[in-house]
Amino acid sequence: MKKRMMTLVTCALAAAAFSAMGCSAEDKPVTLTLYGDAGNVQRPFMQKLFELYEEKTGNKLDVQGIESENFETVCLTKFQTGDIPDLFLHHGGYSLDAYNPAENFVNFTDAAWVSDIQESVLPTTMRDGEVYGLPFWEASYSGLIYNQRIFEELDIELPKTQDEFNAVCDTLLENGVQPIYLPLKDAWPILYQYGMDPIFEDAELLEKLNTNQITYSEIPEMKAQMEWYKMAADQGYFGESFSTDTWDYCMEVLGEGEAAMMYCWDTWLYSDYDSEAYTYTADDFGLMPAFLATTENGTFEGPNCCLMLANKNSENAEAAIEFINFMADPENYNIAFEDFQTAPVFKQQTTIQATPQYQAAADWIAEVGHASIANPEIIGFSNVDGAKCIQELLIGNVDVDTCLQRMDEERIKAAKTQNAAGF
């Protein structure tokens, strides 16, 4: 009996060893299916990690990038029909609840790598006090990126208040420069959540919204934000073609100085922007707060990390867990993030450096504050569905009150889909 027990233990250890390499006992390579937003799975550190994993283990990743504007609809449909991938890349917060994390994803609360996550990032990994995903992401800071050379040439001082910001936009217009590039047609790059973050730093207000005791329409700051968007569009702050402007052209417009500013995150300048292709390089841009009329001094956002989650019910669950452990290994993530400019997500990240934009604005960020609340914490929030309501406002199809009413309707509908209490 004792000999048989030793044999079983030996076999189990052997199987575990094969599993640790992502292989079965027959040493056959495993192919793991991964769903993620098309833009997110193409991030350079993701691509480097994917290649490193396949090279080191012999396993394969079937990465399926889904377009941003259809991502939630497509993924929720797949999950509801049981088509759940081995791996899933998604932001945390309440939006994760629609995917039933306790039922579908591996609980990593006791994983050794949890202690390696920066304290400021750890809350993004959790639902109901449990860690469900690895925040393998950039710790970016968002606001308005602005062309420092244009500001210097026109002798424009950095604004400190909403009124000063509006005056800056007027000055740029007077000098033939479009103040802000807003890719309205794509909806999501409106990034209206930046203006909402400081509103919902009020925990009591957030709780009331999340329990259906109050709506956007009843919050004065939300109305002020929509009124500012409409004013800005009418004044020409977004240019003449904003209704058809898309994200695909943002590099060209900013790179050639056709627009001076864009709502964005600092690391975009080094992960996406092609400095060699345009007149202005990444280092020609700075970072200021997002001014959206919801707080007098503007606001920064950050960090808001994507999580890599493992399907605990998959036949490849063990290999999926080992893939995430592979991602969490300092040796591997330091290779993936080598020379990438971002603030650290992990405590042992040694190959990264903060962006010049963050370094220059660090005191400003500390003074104004930063948060990432609307996107992860508001039940039913969607930066696409809400932005589509803003689209209708800016092209003149609805007024401010109707815009807010529709945003409430979209949010409440999504909250009901997520079976949120109180809705």
Side-chain angles (χ1 to χ4, degrees):
M1 174 66 76
K2 191 174 291 186
K3 182 177 180 181
R4 175 169 173 75
M5 182 62 71
M6 283 295 295
T7 301
L8 289 173
V9 170
T10 302
C11 289
L13 289 172
F18 280 117
S19 175
M21 295 185 291
C23 303
S24 68
E26 290 79 24
D27 200 18
K28 293 180 180 178
V30 174
T31 297
L32 297 172
T33 302
L34 190 161
Y35 292 169
D37 179 283
N40 291 342
V41 297
Q42 289 297 323
R43 309 301 284 168
F45 47 85
M46 283 292 182
Q47 290 295 304
K48 285 176 71 173
L49 189 283
F50 295 161
E51 292 172 8
L52 186 66
Y53 172 74
E54 292 186 340
E55 177 186 325
K56 283 192 172 184
T57 67
N59 294 335
K60 298 295 181 183
L61 293 168
D62 176 14
V63 179
Q64 299 185 25
I66 301 166
E67 292 304 317
S68 297
E69 63 181 36
N70 299 317
F71 178 75
E72 297 295 348
T73 300
V74 170
C75 289
L76 284 171
T77 299
K78 286 179 176 291
F79 272 66
Q80 288 165 3
T81 59
D83 183 7
I84 302 176
D86 301 311
L87 298 159
F88 189 46
L89 185 64
H90 194 280
H91 283 285
Y94 278 114
S95 61
L96 194 62
D97 289 358
Y99 297 91
N100 297 315
E103 295 180 19
N104 290 320
F105 302 130
V106 173
N107 187 323
F108 285 106
T109 303
D110 296 326
W113 47 257
V114 171
S115 62
D116 189 35
I117 299 171
Q118 296 283 354
E119 296 303 321
S120 61
V121 174
L122 186 59
T124 69
T125 70
M126 305 175 80
R127 295 304 300 141
D128 300 321
E130 306 293 329
V131 176
Y132 284 105
L134 176 76
F136 193 90
W137 205 240
E138 59 200 74
S140 57
Y141 285 82
S142 302
L144 273 160
I145 58 173
Y146 69 96
N147 190 312
Q148 297 177 112
R149 283 171 55 186
I150 290 177
F151 272 53
E152 290 169 2
E153 290 164 5
L154 297 178
D155 198 25
I156 296 174
E157 294 186 7
L158 290 175
K160 297 295 184 178
T161 67
Q162 183 68 50
D163 287 343
E164 289 179 4
F165 176 73
N166 292 348
V168 165
C169 291
D170 292 334
T171 298
L172 288 165
L173 278 176
E174 290 166 5
N175 286 276
V177 180
Q178 179 179 320
I180 304 167
Y181 185 68
L182 190 75
L184 188 75
K185 187 174 181 181
D186 289 333
W188 71 265
I190 296 174
L191 298 169
Y192 70 99
Q193 65 266 31
Y194 293 177
M196 293 173 62
D197 289 334
I199 301 174
F200 295 101
E201 283 185 303
D202 182 338
E204 183 178 348
L205 184 64
L206 178 63
E207 176 66 17
K208 285 183 177 180
L209 188 74
N210 280 341
T211 53
N212 208 20
Q213 298 178 58
I214 197 171
T215 63
Y216 288 156
S217 299
E218 299 172 276
I219 300 172
E221 293 88 348
M222 287 296 297
K223 186 170 184 177
Q225 182 175 6
M226 297 308 121
E227 289 174 339
W228 183 85
Y229 271 125
K230 181 58 176 169
M231 179 279 294
D234 292 345
Q235 288 290 103
Y237 291 178
F238 306 139
E240 296 180 358
S241 61
F242 68 86
S243 64
T244 56
D245 284 343
T246 66
W247 182 254
D248 289 342
Y249 289 98
C250 64
M251 275 194 284
E252 180 179 335
V253 173
L254 263 69
E256 295 305 327
E258 296 171 24
M261 297 178 284
M262 184 174 74
Y263 295 102
C264 197
W265 50 98
D266 64 328
T267 55
W268 175 82
L269 288 163
Y270 301 94
S271 62
D272 295 74
Y273 185 75
D274 187 354
S275 284
E276 296 181 0
Y278 303 106
T279 301
Y280 297 101
T281 70
D283 291 342
D284 287 323
F285 294 91
L287 180 69
M288 71 168 78
F291 289 96
L292 287 163
T294 60
T295 182
E296 179 62 14
N297 304 117
T299 184
F300 292 96
E301 182 181 85
N304 186 9
C305 296
C306 263
L307 308 178
M308 187 64 76
L309 304 119
N311 176 2
K312 71 178 184 180
N313 303 309
S314 165
E315 61 181 15
N316 294 323
E318 289 188 15
I321 291 169
E322 288 306 323
F323 171 75
I324 289 179
N325 290 337
F326 181 93
M327 298 178 76
D329 186 323
E331 179 180 346
N332 297 327
Y333 66 60
N334 275 312
I335 292 173
F337 281 93
E338 187 171 7
D339 296 328
F340 191 81
Q341 292 185 299
T342 180
V345 168
F346 302 104
K347 295 174 183 176
Q348 297 181 68
Q349 277 185 283
T350 59
T351 58
I352 60 171
Q353 55 183 316
T355 67
Q357 288 72 23
Y358 171 78
Q359 294 179 53
D363 290 342
W364 204 353
I365 291 171
E367 175 189 345
V368 172
H370 63 89
S372 183
I373 295 173
N375 193 13
E377 298 300 335
I378 292 176
I379 298 175
F381 177 89
S382 166
N383 68 339
V384 174
D385 294 338
K388 287 181 178 179
C389 301
I390 298 173
Q391 282 179 329
E392 294 297 300
L393 170 66
L394 298 195
I395 63 178
N397 287 347
V398 299
D399 60 16
V400 167
D401 290 335
T402 305
C403 174
L404 286 168
Q405 180 184 339
R406 292 187 179 181
M407 290 173 72
D408 276 320
E409 290 170 354
E410 292 295 333
R411 177 181 56 84
I412 292 169
K413 181 172 66 176
K416 288 180 177 178
T417 300
Q418 296 171 21
N419 297 314
F423 287 85

